[in-house]
Amino acid sequence: MPSLQSVISCLSDYDPSALPVEQANRIIAEVIEPVSGIEQVAIRSALDRVLAEDVVSPIDVPAHDNSAMDGYAFSSAALQAANGGEVTLRVIGTALAGETHGLTPAAGEAVRIMTGAVMPAGCDTVIPQEFTQAVPGAGSEAGSESGGEAAGEAVRFAADAVRAGDNRRLRGEDLARGKPALNQGRVLQPADLGLLASLGIAEVKVRRRLRVAFFSTGDELRSIGEPLDAGCVYDSNRYTLHGMLRRLHVELIDMGVVRDDPAALEAALRSACENADAVITSGGVSVGEADYTRQIMAELGDVTFWKIAMRPGRPMAFGRIASNGHQALLFGLPGNPVAVMVTFYHFVRAALHRMMGADIAPPPLMRVRSAHAIRKKPGRTEYQRGILARGADGQWEVRITGQQGSGVLRSMSEANCFIVLGHEQGGVAAGDPVEVMLFEGLL
Ligand code: AMP
Ligand code: MG
């Protein structure tokens, strides 16, 4: 793993006191490597886990050409022969799904076929039942639901009701044997479990779960159940962190509240480092008098302190700490509750994905109109909390939630998206387009 110093020394315009969001993310990405442990799990237990190997399809899915409709299978040569007129075919039998059949229609013949049934030899097209008519005097009515024994009937249909190859599913069109079905790094979704099942695969190799330890720092913090002394606040960051981390399917180690006391902080950081892959703290990374966090973090490893050019969430510590032969990645987040969430989503989330070996695209940004003017200075990235909804004219528009202070957690709770105002961007006029990042999928 490259050291922080070696990564930073390669940057020509590195300024830790006004670091652009993108540059911080680039440094973080370069320092991180995925954990190496691998487990084999049953596919149901693989939901939300990170695939540790490429899965190559051992079979063709579907295994045979088959019908996509209930209807009649025939050779498309009959369409050319009809030359835009009517096609009449004698029905020689019925092909049901899940059976093999030896039906081989000759020219002028068809096979009644059900959805999923194997295409008869020589047939490449299926005319759906509802486009056909029974030929009078040739048995029971085609096109009805009566079904039954079809042999001996005849059907007719307009040649232009279907094109050659229609309503036929090709062997291997879903997954071809020998081709990669899923790539390593994939965070397995419900469709992937089904896809693995369709290949007959019972178990897959996944990366071991990441262990993440977290604690809050500050003498003013009280835990739920304790009396709220004058000048104190309840610790909320551990709960938002718990929620955000749960969504990443990591193993959580909640270490509670740690006082602003050098010995207590050192003990907590060491214990976290010895038990987890990553450590997340909140509070104490700004330059406050009673904040010893920075000093202790710096003593335990390769840690850098940034003022990020963003709002909210300026101060942040990042690096690697070591204790008794164990190493862990460290994220020292700001104390303010909104800043914790914003820095988590815009730095920590992608970093943890990388540690998990997960190949996840950055969340998409949508461009929508701003319902009102927003003040913004160029030179920092802002993550305002927004509510995306349809405006009076039916178009999507976003408005900011009331108070945007970095201590106002209600702004996150009410919002359904971040309004992302880029580093270079200035103020926004009412009606201007802005980029939003939806919470759905992120949270
Ligand atoms: P700090 O970064 O430690 O100076 O904290 C900045 C602000 O965030 C202060 O007002 C703290 O009281 C508040 N704060 C810090 N940690 C927490 C927490 N865990 N829960 C709620 N508020 C917090
Ligand atoms: Mg503090």
Side-chain angles (χ1 to χ4, degrees):
M1 264 188 263
S3 80
L4 204 47
Q5 291 318 316
S6 70
V7 171
I8 286 167
S9 65
C10 295
L11 301 169
S12 55
D13 52 351
Y14 176 68
D15 176 5
S17 66
L19 194 66
V21 169
E22 257 183 46
Q23 209 174 60
N25 268 321
R26 225 177 310 139
I27 296 169
I28 293 171
E30 281 193 43
V31 169
I32 292 176
E33 277 177 0
V35 295
S36 51
I38 284 172
E39 327 172 346
Q40 176 129 344
V41 297
I43 58 174
R44 281 198 189 92
S45 308
L47 183 65
D48 297 320
R49 302 293 300 269
V50 180
L51 197 60
E53 59 180 357
D54 290 344
V55 173
V56 170
S57 179
I59 55 172
D60 282 324
V61 179
H64 308 275
D65 289 4
N66 69 84
S67 177
M69 300 287 275
D70 291 345
Y72 296 87
F74 63 99
S75 161
S76 61
L79 298 176
Q80 284 120 49
N83 196 20
E86 288 227 311
V87 178
T88 303
L89 301 170
R90 200 173 71 81
V91 181
I92 63 162
T94 301
L96 300 174
E99 318 184 308
T100 52
H101 57 78
L103 296 167
T104 314
E109 291 180 341
V111 168
R112 181 161 154 77
I113 194 164
M114 301 301 147
T115 304
V118 175
M119 286 293 280
C123 295
D124 59 1
T125 305
V126 173
I127 177 80
Q129 180 165 306
E130 53 271 30
F131 295 141
T132 66
Q133 281 182 310
V135 174
S140 67
E141 206 183 321
S144 75
E145 289 301 310
S146 59
E149 185 46 62
E153 298 172 9
V155 287
R156 67 183 155 84
F157 53 91
D160 62 6
V162 70
R163 287 162 309 172
D166 275 359
N167 306 314
R168 171 188 52 164
R169 302 171 179 150
L170 290 172
R171 169 185 178 153
E173 76 172 18
D174 189 350
L175 295 160
R177 180 179 175 169
K179 292 272 162 58
L182 291 169
N183 292 318
Q184 74 143 314
R186 171 95 187 154
V187 178
L188 294 165
Q189 301 298 298
D192 303 328
L193 304 193
L195 194 143
L196 290 164
S198 76
L199 298 175
I201 293 173
E203 296 186 335
V204 284
K205 290 195 167 69
V206 295
R207 297 227 186 221
R208 74 163 171 81
R209 277 190 209 277
L210 211 62
R211 280 188 292 276
V212 181
F214 59 104
F215 59 85
S216 300
T217 70
D219 286 339
E220 78 282 24
L221 301 180
R222 293 292 176 271
S223 293
I224 302 171
E226 290 177 357
L228 199 59
D229 303 322
C232 292
V233 292
Y234 281 120
D235 169 16
S236 59
N237 289 344
R238 261 191 316 129
Y239 292 85
T240 42
L241 278 169
H242 173 97
M244 295 187 293
L245 287 165
R246 277 277 299 276
R247 290 282 163 92
L248 296 186
H249 310 285
V250 298
E251 274 177 31
L252 305 186
I253 306 173
D254 182 343
M255 299 179 62
V257 174
V258 178
R259 332 229 96 229
D260 285 319
D261 161 71
L265 281 165
E266 176 168 350
L269 280 171
R270 282 188 181 279
S271 159
C273 174
E274 289 166 28
N275 291 294
D277 303 297
V279 181
I280 301 174
T281 66
S282 71
V285 288
S286 52
V287 245
E289 263 176 73
D291 291 333
Y292 301 103
T293 320
R294 290 165 61 109
Q295 178 198 332
I296 307 294
M297 285 176 176
E299 280 169 22
L300 287 180
D302 187 16
V303 178
T304 176
F305 298 89
W306 289 330
K307 279 204 190 95
I308 313 247
M310 68 187 287
R311 202 162 86 156
R314 273 187 12 118
M316 193 172 108
F318 170 70
R320 215 181 279 120
I321 53 173
S323 180
N324 289 323
H326 296 270
Q327 281 210 348
L329 215 66
L330 173 75
F331 296 93
L333 305 186
N336 275 310
V338 180
V340 167
M341 297 195 77
V342 170
T343 50
F344 184 92
Y345 284 123
H346 297 284
F347 300 104
V348 182
R349 180 178 177 272
L352 294 182
H353 279 147
R354 221 179 158 84
M355 289 184 86
M356 292 175 205
D359 188 7
I360 297 225
L365 295 173
M366 282 169 58
R367 254 177 120 67
V368 297
R369 111 189 142 204
S370 176
H372 41 60
I374 306 175
R375 286 171 60 180
K376 156 79 168 66
K377 280 190 262 172
R380 68 179 180 213
T381 307
E382 290 195 10
Y383 301 96
Q384 303 230 0
R385 275 72 71 206
I387 299 173
L388 180 67
R390 283 193 197 275
D393 60 357
Q395 300 294 309
W396 289 100
E397 67 176 22
V398 68
R399 49 186 60 249
I400 54 175
T401 61
Q403 277 209 56
Q404 294 283 311
S406 66
V408 183
L409 197 50
R410 185 162 45 84
S411 69
M412 277 300 292
S413 189
E414 285 175 2
N416 62 9
C417 64
F418 285 122
I419 304 171
V420 182
L421 303 171
H423 192 84
E424 307 296 347
Q425 185 169 350
V428 173
D432 274 2
V434 287
E435 294 198 310
V436 299
M437 184 186 288
L438 284 180
F439 285 175
E440 192 59 49
L442 194 62
L443 304 188

